[in-house]
Amino acid sequence: MARSGKVAVVGAGFYGSTTAQRLAEYDIFETVVLTDILEGKPEGLALDMNQSRAVEGFETRVVGQTTGPNGEGYEAIAGAEIVIITAGLPRKPGMSRMDLIETNAKIVRQVSENVAKHAPEAVVIVVSNPLDEMTALAQIATQFPKNRVLGQAGILDTARFTNFVAEELNVPVSSVTTLTLGSHGDTMVPVPSASSVDGTPLTEALPAEKVEELVTRTRNGGAEVVALLKTGSAYYAPSAAAARMAKAVHEDSGEVLPVCAWVDGEYGISGVYLGVTAELAKEGVRKVVERDLTDTELAALKEAAEAVRAKQADVQSL
Ligand SMILES: NC(=O)c1ccc[n+]([C@@H]2O[C@H](COP(=O)([O-])OP(=O)(O)OC[C@H]3O[C@@H](n4cnc5c(N)ncnc54)[C@H](O)[C@@H]3O)[C@@H](O)[C@H]2O)c1
């Protein structure tokens, strides 16, 4: 496929810079823009990434741009078809994602207002935490149609679940299919009934207690990495997930992926951003795709929706 278009990544920390690198290495965009408020950081990272082009063999150009408190520099994202918001603090050991809500809400609101001004046609992919709440806030602050604002969580959580199952059974990750829905937090809903190993249901491939153990490890997947790193949170798997979403949107692929999307009646749930499977295309979310769930899984999804709904109402005032 020919190279085309522009994708912007706001926030050049660990998550943003690795996302920009992955997007550039896909070699499907004309330009990847990377911005941050730290003077010189995005420019330096862009220069460094561009110098890897001759070795890695990609032609996409990375453009770094420092932005100011009043939106200075945001002209660089003009015309972007996709903007990925990674700006915001990551967790420290012992913190929950929800502990970041006040600080990150201010950042995500400011970034979103500038995105609305400078890239009014963009699809916005939010990754800043707490994810479900920041996705809702980005939609409120941009006033973009709800299908054009979505969040990254499900691809990552699912990839973690898949990795744990593959390691447990000592099989290739490509043999394993898993799914997680719900929130990117305590009410995450890993879905064993939609999970399998070479076509065998996960519930038959592993004893129930082992499945439960892996479900719990998946739910705590981010915290496990944070505890080991001690400063900062995961970024290799998270950036792979966000870049993958941007690719599906850019290529108008119609792929069904687990993402945080606006739910309007599916599963009997309405009016909330929640982790579900959805078809991704040029317009962002083309359609939320309902899955068959067991009664227990459906109840857990509804519980997640209510927990997220309460918090998403709070972000309006932050
Ligand atoms: N959704 C997920 O699955 C997931 C996974 C991992 C991390 N995260 C979240 O992603 C966010 C970023 O993580 P990280 O590891 O890159 O953190 P980081 O500290 O390495 O980088 C954050 C960057 O944001 C920048 N920033 C702050 N305010 C800004 C603003 N107003 N405009 C532009 N840039 C601004 C900072 O200068 C910094 O460079 C965190 O909130 C983290 O919790 C989400």
Side-chain angles (χ1 to χ4, degrees), residues 107 109 113 121 128 141 160 165 270 302:
I107 294 171
R109 184 180 282 282
E113 286 168 359
E121 302 302 325
S128 312
R160 284 177 170 154
V165 171
S270 284
K302 290 190 168 169

Side-chain angles (χ1 to χ4, degrees), residues 111-181:
V111 169
S112 301
E113 286 168 359
N114 282 300
V115 170
K117 196 160 154 200
H118 294 276
E121 302 302 325
V123 169
V124 176
I125 298 172
V126 179
V127 310
S128 312
N129 270 321
L131 189 273
D132 308 275
E133 290 72 15
M134 292 304 108
T135 305
L137 177 59
Q139 192 281 322
I140 292 165
T142 54
Q143 284 296 297
F144 285 0
K146 294 189 170 81
N147 62 290
R148 269 213 280 135
V149 181
L150 59 163
Q152 187 301 116
I155 299 178
L156 169 64
D157 297 330
T158 300
R160 284 177 170 154
F161 194 10
T162 294
N163 181 55
F164 294 146
V165 171
E167 286 189 344
E168 179 62 35
L169 290 166
N170 199 20
V171 296
V173 283
S174 57
S175 301
V176 182
T177 303
T178 65
L179 180 64
T180 61
L181 304 174

Side-chain angles (χ1 to χ4, degrees), residues 227-255:
L228 289 164
L229 294 180
K230 300 189 183 64
T231 55
S233 59
Y235 49 96
Y236 287 113
S239 62
R244 191 72 189 63
M245 288 170 71
K247 186 169 186 278
V249 171
H250 176 71
E251 293 179 341
D252 196 28
S253 73
E255 272 169 288

Side-chain angles (χ1 to χ4, degrees), residues 9-18 35-38 41 45 67-69 74 85-91 97 100 103-104 106-108 110-111 114 126-132 134 151-154 156-157 160 184 222 226 232-235 237-239 241:
V9 181
V10 179
F14 287 113
Y15 199 143
S17 57
T18 42
T35 76
D36 202 288
I37 50 170
L38 294 178
K41 186 172 185 188
L45 289 168
T67 55
Y74 267 91
I85 302 180
T86 78
L89 301 190
R91 288 191 276 174
R97 294 181 180 93
L100 302 166
T103 311
N104 285 355
K106 289 192 183 67
I107 294 171
V108 169
Q110 189 252 355
V111 169
N114 282 300
V126 179
V127 310
S128 312
N129 270 321
L131 189 273
D132 308 275
M134 292 304 108
Q152 187 301 116
L156 169 64
D157 297 330
R160 284 177 170 154
H184 188 50
V226 170
S233 59
Y235 49 96
S239 62

